[in-house]
Amino acid sequence: MGFMSVLSFAHKSIAERLAPGERAIDATAGTGADTLFLARTLGPRGEVCGFDIQQPALKLATERLNAAREASPLALAPVTLLCRSHAEMAEAVPAAWRGTVGAVMFNLGYLPSADADKSIITEPHSSIAALEAALSLLRPGGIITAVLYPGHAGGDLEAAAVEAWAASVPLHTAQSIIYRQLQRAAAPYVVALEKK
């Protein structure tokens, strides 16, 4: 049977902690897979905000969300997509979101689209700033998941930075874990934090 994929692990960890009607953030919208997952999990009374610095990513995410709405129009939370850096999330979401967000998802690296520019990647400095912002927005018991990709150029440095940041968060603030295949150093893995 095997272990679940890193994406499945991130989704399961969030689904177990996120209640319908809450607020959630997709810090790296990409093709919209996590955005759609959050919108489905929260249902029509919830709210989702998604961030990406690339318009092509937001277009792909919008297309995915529109297709899902056509199939099941009343099942999804409203979604706001912003063409902004994830590092700006604390300023970009309404002030009322501070301390009320149930989950923030990160899927770091590059846009996984056939025609995407793979040289545009998430960077350690902005990702760490975004993780700090995410932690400030979470409610008690809220969760951050960060899927890391050490196998691409620059991904190893970002993964190490995220891991070091998560390890440095005081235990009275949040607990952090790693879900990783130990025999493959370049395989994607998840760092997750649950706020106290």
Side-chain angles (χ1 to χ4, degrees), residues 12-38:
K12 182 178 188 302
S13 298
I14 286 175
E16 290 172 348
R17 291 165 179 81
L18 197 59
E22 285 199 280
R23 295 171 171 142
I25 295 171
D26 184 352
T28 51
T31 64
D34 291 337
T35 316
L36 178 58
F37 162 75
L38 291 170

Side-chain angles (χ1 to χ4, degrees), residues 26 28-36 39 48-52 54-71 76-83 111:
D26 184 352
T28 51
T31 64
D34 291 337
T35 316
L36 178 58
V48 177
C49 188
F51 292 84
D52 209 290
Q54 297 184 75
Q55 280 294 347
L58 296 176
K59 182 177 183 291
L60 291 169
T62 299
E63 289 168 357
R64 185 183 295 258
L65 290 164
N66 288 343
R69 280 196 186 94
E70 286 176 20
L76 302 181
V79 176
T80 302
L81 294 173
L82 301 173
C83 190
L111 179 61

